[in-house]
Amino acid sequence: MPLNLRIPGPTPVPEEVLQELSRPMINHRGREYASILAECTEGVKRVFQTQNDILFFPSSGSGTLEAAVVNALSPGDRVLGVSIGSFGKRWGEIARRYGADVTMLEFEWGRGADPETVAAKLRQEGPFKAVLVTHNETSTGVTNDMKALAEIIRPTGALLMVDAVSSLGCVDLQTDNWGLDVVCTGSQKALMLPPGLGLMSVSPRAWEVHKTAQMPRFYWDWTNAINYQRKGENPYTPPVSLYFGLRKSLKLIEQEGLPNVFRRHQELAAYVRQSLQELGLNLFADPTYASPAITSAYVPEGLSSKQIQYPLEDKYDVVIAIGQEHLLDKIIRIGHMGYVTKEHLAECLSYLREVLVELGHKVPASAAA
Ligand SMILES: *Cc1c(COP(=O)(O)O)cnc(C)c1O
């Protein structure tokens, strides 16, 4: 039996996609590849809900965050990093290392970015050249109200750059309607692919800023990437297999329908939250901003996260995530993004129950077995 992989990436890959991944190689500067690249680009635009250009880089999600920084900023640019967890901090740190003048606005982990507080920061300390926002903060299981934040950030003229690595394809993100300039994601989360392909959208405004942006770049250069993509190629050897897989996973998303995909994630997240509470666990994330992609809960008093994680894997082939940084030992996280059904989650939750009972946790009597 395959692992029931309930971490927030890499996520399970559907059988049909796995088959595509094992296809023989083709010429990455040939006509077949050009047609696959074109098809993938159009399909990806629909998932990003955008007419903007889509750029591909062979990388994990973090590569696209770095690409956004080096292509749109110059050393000394004032940047606001809105952070609600570890990924928000990471993006701010990338910008800082490249010489941006970064101001961090950090919210308590487990909470969403409060739009009023962001507005006040922009008013009091602006103008900023760019604002970095995490859509879905995977370390805490919190999804920001991206539409509300965009409405506040856009009028200031700052470039709005969004880390949508764990939300694109499972949480509604309307790139064009909300005016998001740069949106970054990776293949191994809701897109149901193995790791290794970074994807990002670039608005006309971002292209304009890019023209004069001075940060050093070579591998990540947007101009180079788009010039090649317009010819049906990439500057450097692309992960060809992942494009075979992407073409198929985009078909799966289209067959289900994007709104249905979003609804499935919301319903499954509600199911996980309810089940965890029935097991007597306290949820970690503020319910107003609880993520459709990943659910976090406090470990019961007296236990550590690994005490739960290891037996789940060793005895039951169920793999969950634990906390990051100061939350390492304090929370568990259950990923439900991409290829996931209620059956997968029911199995995960029933084995979680077993493990908790074995550890001496008192499951409330009302909890269904
Ligand atoms: C997974 C993830 C990333 C990127 O992580 P990689 O390991 O580089 O793919 C960035 N941001 C968020 C919110 C993520 O969940």
Side-chain angles (χ1 to χ4, degrees), residues 102-142:
V102 180
T103 302
M104 291 303 288
L105 174 57
E106 299 197 40
F107 292 87
E108 191 190 335
W109 289 34
R111 306 205 160 265
D114 170 46
E116 289 310 313
T117 309
V118 175
K121 191 81 173 174
L122 289 165
R123 246 192 337 267
Q124 288 155 14
E125 295 183 36
F128 292 97
K129 194 79 184 285
V131 181
L132 314 177
V133 182
T134 317
H135 183 209
N136 183 77
E137 179 51 73
T138 319
S139 63
T140 58
V142 170

Side-chain angles (χ1 to χ4, degrees), residues 77-123:
D77 276 353
R78 299 199 62 231
V79 172
L80 181 66
V82 177
S83 173
I84 60 169
S86 76
F87 288 102
K89 273 175 35 183
R90 178 185 298 180
W91 209 3
E93 178 60 18
I94 294 171
R96 193 190 66 75
R97 294 257 187 114
Y98 275 98
D101 176 6
V102 180
T103 302
M104 291 303 288
L105 174 57
E106 299 197 40
F107 292 87
E108 191 190 335
W109 289 34
R111 306 205 160 265
D114 170 46
E116 289 310 313
T117 309
V118 175
K121 191 81 173 174
L122 289 165
R123 246 192 337 267

Side-chain angles (χ1 to χ4, degrees), residues 46-49 135 167-175 178 190-191 253 256-270 291-293 336 338:
R46 288 191 283 275
V47 180
F48 273 70
Q49 305 186 57
H135 183 209
S167 58
L168 207 285
C170 68
V171 186
D172 191 19
L173 186 71
Q174 303 182 16
T175 303
W178 301 348
L191 294 179
I253 291 171
E256 184 175 357
L258 206 47
N260 296 328
V261 172
F262 298 150
R263 197 172 317 121
R264 170 167 54 87
H265 283 88
Q266 275 169 355
E267 288 170 3
L268 292 178
S291 167
H336 35 79

Side-chain angles (χ1 to χ4, degrees), residues 60-62 65 87 90 134 136 138 163 165-166 188-189:
S60 77
S62 303
L65 303 182
F87 288 102
R90 178 185 298 180
T134 317
N136 183 77
T138 319
D163 171 351
V165 178
S166 61
Q188 82 277 23
K189 306 221 171 162

Side-chain angles (χ1 to χ4, degrees), residues 11 21 66 68 168 173 222 248 257 268 279 291 316 353 360:
T11 63
L21 294 169
E66 180 154 334
L168 207 285
L173 186 71
W222 283 352
K248 178 58 87 178
L268 292 178
L279 290 176
S291 167
Y316 304 112
R353 179 184 209 280

Side-chain angles (χ1 to χ4, degrees), residues 69-75 77 209-217:
V69 165
V70 298
N71 279 282
L73 298 174
S74 300
D77 276 353
V209 173
H210 166 68
K211 279 188 195 158
T212 55
Q214 295 299 315
M215 281 190 184
R217 54 186 175 258

